[in-house]
Amino acid sequence: MMKDANNGREWWGWNRRHSARQNGRDGRNAGSPTSSASCRRMAGLIALLTALLLWFAGTAAATVSGVEPLRLGPATASATLAGHFARLVDPDRKLDFAAILKADADGQMEPREDFRGVGQTRDIHWYRFDLMREPGAPADWLLEMGEAYIDHLDLFIPKAGGVAGRPQDPAAYRLVRLGDFVPFSQRPMKTRLHSLPLTLPEGKPVSLYLRVDSISAIRLSARVWSPAAYVGHQTTDLLFQGFFLGVLGILVLGYVALGLLLRDGALLSYTAYVATVFCYYLFANGIGAALLPDLPGWLMNMLVGSSGFLGFATALIMWVYILDLQARAPKLARCYQGLALLVLLASPTTVSPLYALTNPVVTLSALVVVVIALVLTARIAWLNPGDLSPRFYLASTLVSLTGLIMAQLILRGALPADFFIADPYQVASMVAVLVLGTGLALRIGRLQAERLRAREESAFATKRAEEQRSFVAMLSHEFRTPLAAIDSAAQMIELSGAVESPSALTRLQRIRSTTHKMAELVDLFLSSDALDQGALALKPEPVALGQLMDEVLGGLTGTEAEERLELSIDAPDRPMLVDAPFLGVAIGNLVQNALRYSPADTAVRVSAFDDGGGIVIRVADRGLGMTPEEVERIGSIYFRASSSRGTKGSGLGLYMTQKIVAAHGGTLSVQSEHNEGSVFTIRLPAAERLAAQ
């Protein structure tokens, strides 16, 4: 600077001499007032520009060379060190404390206006804090630094009685080790964050040097407290942390019991998510270190990182249940489940340098998932205006998204570390889980109301079925007397010899055969309790496939229905081991339904064959068919399809058919299309398997 000033003076002197020579050469201008004024204005402008440059250079040099120390006065209760520190980043991790002192003396430490996070990094960050205790201020202060999960905080403090200011000899400093890797019992103060007492000289600036190294994200802030103010601060801080963890603990205990009682996946996954949030903040905020015995640093890192990863995984499963993605978006549900598995597999990286890669990826994935949940909950709330639960889901997602974005902006340095509140995501998490829990409580109420309504409908249906069953049983019992009378009368006519015509005798035999079938049906109705319990008493007997079909369809001989039947029997001699009367009722029900519910001018195809694994009996018609919803209800007691309107029936035929087939170890399936007809298929196991049953 002195050299620059001398050069300025020399230049200014040359300029004056040069002007004098010019004036001497030109006599006309030697005494010109205009020329003198111009010279004075030029000289003044040059002097002003020079002064501005010198001032700017001096200001820049002052800004680079030093930081205004934090002044601690008699009235100071607490003060942040933001704006009173400088920083140097060591990306190669090679600088020791002596090298840092030299670099600071050379002006290489950069002054900083505020604390900002640097995210996941393996760089070592060096800080210099500048403090000065003003006259009359107390000598004892407390320095508090955070976050609690930072691995290594090595603080270099000038020794008492040493040289004031910034000693250049490393031996003039004492080292205090802090951080998550220091056992809690060995820390200077047993507090949630990293704190230690300071004794400052009066009226002399003091510089402290801090080395920060952490596998977790670095978000440093530092504040100086008076002892009395620190006690009040600790009380308020621990009160908030206790309230926060207490709310989460109550939610976990309450909802886990409710979820187990109701066996509801959404409630249980929500409870698991809240439990992971509880565990994460228990250890990330330093509460766990104070409550538990000394744990190794790598384990603390695993507890913090793994609980964060596990929280994201449980959140994915929670949204699968809450948004019912299995039904609404099965592909998205599978993506969520696969992502949750990948996150769980990445949990071991939380104790390795790979955490600097996996954590940002998981965080970005969480942001994407929250945005997707926001869109889906907004859509569900729009489509279901009468349901309040989706609105709470939407509000919870908005709060989570806001907190997550703010926390990441602070962590990555886009916002100051002490912006608004220290950890916006912690407050957002508590609000989000409370709002989400309220939405789930409303969901529980709605589910309970639906279950109560379903229970009432089921009770009503059961009562109605019991009444109908009693009526049918009573009516069936009353049928026995007239059926016996009809059979007896037909038998007497046959024995009397009054009827000699072969056709008339055939009709009498058909009357008696039909009467016997009706009696069997009466017995079947009376055994409805056994049907309901799946305990139908079968009497399997050997019978050929062709013989069974002849007995079933023999009653249609000589009728109009016989002309509509198209019968196809492959391997009629195929032996079967079945209860022929019961199975005949089942097959007869299918044939009668096909004839009844299809147009009179259409054929009904009946086929029976051996497919290699058992017997298949198929009845196909060209009726009105059924909808997919009606097909699903086939076999339900008293159910009749819409195509059966105007046709007599009780809805018991297919119910009995299904029960009889099931009692034989077989299955009844239906293929039907609207206006295309229906195909009923009975599949029976081989005789050997039925005998084994």
Side-chain angles (χ1 to χ4, degrees):
M1 293 302 295
M2 292 300 294
K3 184 178 180 180
D4 292 340
N6 291 333
N7 289 338
R9 286 195 294 272
E10 291 172 1
W11 182 87
W12 178 237
W14 176 87
N15 187 60
R16 286 187 295 174
R17 291 192 298 272
H18 178 71
S19 297
R21 287 195 296 269
Q22 289 293 334
N23 289 336
R25 292 172 186 171
D26 191 353
R28 291 174 300 175
N29 296 331
S32 171
T34 303
S35 177
S36 299
S38 298
C39 289
R40 285 194 298 271
R41 284 196 296 270
M42 181 66 71
L45 180 60
I46 292 173
L48 178 62
L49 290 175
T50 303
L52 288 174
L53 288 172
L54 291 173
W55 175 84
F56 179 79
T59 304
T63 301
V64 172
S65 62
V67 175
E68 180 68 22
L70 173 62
R71 297 182 177 274
L72 303 174
T76 303
S78 70
T80 177
L81 280 164
H84 306 282
F85 72 96
R87 187 187 70 175
L88 177 65
V89 180
D90 177 17
D92 297 327
R93 303 173 59 87
K94 294 180 179 179
L95 298 179
D96 57 9
F97 184 44
I100 293 299
L101 290 176
K102 184 177 183 306
D104 189 20
D106 295 339
Q108 296 181 22
M109 296 199 79
E110 177 189 7
R112 305 291 294 182
E113 291 297 323
D114 49 33
F115 291 102
R116 290 182 181 263
V118 295
Q120 303 286 140
T121 178
R122 294 302 294 138
D123 298 346
I124 294 178
H125 288 68
W126 287 88
Y127 295 84
R128 188 194 72 233
F129 300 141
D130 296 317
L131 307 171
M132 189 172 74
R133 168 194 166 201
E134 293 183 343
D140 295 328
W141 298 86
L142 296 170
L143 174 63
E144 181 182 61
M145 297 175 293
E147 294 289 328
Y149 55 76
I150 296 178
D151 293 344
H152 302 282
L153 294 168
D154 297 338
L155 187 64
F156 296 86
I157 306 173
K159 294 179 180 179
V163 180
R166 301 173 193 163
Q168 297 301 303
D169 183 6
Y173 294 83
R174 63 185 178 93
L175 172 62
V176 179
R177 295 190 182 276
L178 299 167
D180 205 21
F181 271 54
V182 176
F184 190 79
S185 61
Q186 299 178 19
R187 298 180 187 179
M189 296 182 65
K190 309 303 184 288
T191 54
R192 182 177 72 85
L193 297 180
H194 306 290
S195 307
L196 77 159
L198 293 176
T199 301
L200 302 177
E202 185 176 16
K204 298 178 181 179
V206 175
S207 294
L208 313 178
Y209 290 87
L210 177 68
R211 180 184 183 272
V212 181
D213 180 16
S214 182
I215 199 173
S216 305
I218 297 178
R219 183 177 65 183
L220 178 71
S221 61
R223 179 174 286 269
V224 177
W225 297 83
S226 68
Y230 187 72
V231 172
H233 160 68
Q234 282 290 97
T235 302
T236 305
D237 179 63
L238 293 177
L239 215 73
F240 169 75
Q241 298 297 336
F243 173 75
F244 174 79
L245 295 176
V247 169
L248 296 184
I250 291 173
L251 287 176
V252 169
L253 293 177
Y255 276 91
V256 71
L258 196 58
L260 292 174
L261 180 64
L262 300 178
R263 296 181 181 178
D264 186 75
L267 286 178
L268 292 175
S269 58
Y270 166 79
T271 305
Y273 169 70
V274 176
T276 58
V277 174
F278 177 91
C279 292
Y280 174 80
Y281 280 105
L282 179 67
F283 294 103
N285 284 347
I287 303 296
L291 297 177
L292 299 176
D294 289 346
L295 298 176
W298 67 267
L299 182 56
M300 294 297 293
N301 275 349
M302 174 171 283
L303 291 172
V304 174
S306 297
S307 58
F309 280 20
L310 185 59
F312 178 46
T314 54
L316 288 168
I317 304 301
M318 177 184 69
W319 284 118
V320 169
Y321 279 105
I322 290 179
L323 299 178
D324 195 15
L325 294 182
Q326 293 285 11
R328 290 191 173 103
K331 291 184 179 179
L332 183 60
R334 288 193 292 271
C335 289
Y336 274 26
Q337 293 166 348
L339 182 57
L341 179 60
L342 290 176
V343 170
L344 291 177
L345 294 177
S347 294
T349 64
T350 57
V351 294
S352 71
L354 289 176
Y355 189 49
L357 299 176
T358 58
N359 191 38
V361 172
V362 171
T363 301
L364 180 61
S365 302
L367 184 62
V368 172
V369 168
V370 173
V371 172
I372 293 175
L374 183 66
V375 174
L376 293 178
T377 51
R379 183 173 182 272
I380 295 173
W382 175 265
L383 296 177
N384 301 275
D387 189 2
L388 294 178
S389 297
R391 300 183 185 181
F392 283 89
Y393 303 157
L394 178 61
S396 173
T397 309
L398 280 172
V399 173
S400 294
L401 181 61
T402 303
L404 181 60
I405 291 176
M406 288 187 63
Q408 289 303 311
L409 290 176
I410 292 174
L411 192 63
R412 310 297 168 185
L415 291 175
D418 52 358
F419 176 77
F420 186 50
I421 53 177
D423 190 352
Y425 191 61
Q426 182 177 4
V427 178
S429 296
M430 183 172 65
V431 175
V433 297
L434 288 174
V435 174
L436 186 58
T438 304
L440 288 174
L442 294 176
R443 177 179 176 273
I444 293 170
R446 177 172 54 82
L447 290 177
Q448 287 296 92
E450 291 177 356
R451 289 178 181 179
L452 180 61
R453 184 166 58 253
R455 193 178 295 113
E456 292 175 350
E457 292 177 356
S458 176
F460 175 77
T462 301
K463 182 180 179 181
R464 179 182 177 186
E466 289 292 339
E467 293 175 351
Q468 290 180 341
R469 184 179 293 109
S470 299
F471 175 76
V472 170
M474 180 182 64
L475 194 61
S476 300
H477 186 272
E478 295 299 322
F479 280 164
R480 283 180 170 177
T481 300
L483 287 175
I486 293 172
D487 182 60
S488 177
Q491 185 179 16
M492 292 302 296
I493 293 174
E494 185 179 5
L495 293 175
S496 66
V499 178
E500 297 181 354
S501 171
S503 60
L505 290 174
T506 301
R507 290 173 182 173
L508 282 174
Q509 291 176 356
R510 186 178 300 163
I511 290 173
R512 295 199 64 193
S513 175
T514 304
T515 303
H516 290 160
K517 287 185 177 181
M518 289 294 294
E520 291 175 356
L521 280 177
V522 168
D523 293 336
L524 182 60
F525 276 122
L526 293 179
S527 65
S528 60
D529 288 338
L531 282 171
D532 289 338
Q533 299 297 325
L536 187 63
L538 298 180
K539 295 180 180 179
E541 296 179 355
V543 61
L545 177 60
Q547 179 185 352
L548 174 67
M549 298 304 295
D550 288 341
E551 291 179 358
V552 172
L553 303 177
L556 300 178
T557 304
T559 64
E560 296 179 358
E562 183 181 12
E563 300 176 358
R564 295 175 56 192
L565 288 179
E566 294 182 0
L567 181 61
S568 173
I569 304 177
D570 294 342
D573 296 330
R574 171 70 162 80
M576 302 176 63
L577 187 63
V578 296
D579 190 314
F582 272 125
L583 189 57
V585 170
I587 300 172
N589 282 338
L590 297 181
V591 175
Q592 292 292 342
N593 285 346
L595 293 169
R596 184 182 300 119
Y597 299 126
S598 59
D601 59 346
T602 61
V604 172
R605 297 186 299 276
V606 180
S607 58
F609 56 91
D610 185 352
D611 67 348
I615 301 298
V616 177
I617 301 171
R618 185 167 293 154
V619 179
D621 63 57
R622 301 292 296 176
L624 296 177
M626 293 174 287
T627 64
E629 292 78 12
E630 291 175 330
V631 169
E632 291 181 359
R633 297 188 61 188
I634 287 297
S636 300
I637 190 169
Y638 303 120
F639 170 74
R640 303 188 72 204
S642 58
S643 58
S644 64
R645 293 173 183 171
T647 307
K648 294 182 179 180
S650 62
L652 285 171
L654 289 178
Y655 170 73
M656 291 188 297
T657 299
Q658 188 179 53
K659 291 292 185 179
I660 292 172
V661 172
H664 281 81
T667 60
L668 173 66
S669 59
V670 186
Q671 294 179 346
S672 183
E673 295 184 11
H674 194 56
N675 294 325
E676 295 293 333
S678 304
V679 179
F680 289 81
T681 303
I682 296 176
R683 296 182 181 275
L684 299 173
E688 296 79 7
R689 280 189 287 165
L690 182 61
Q693 293 177 359

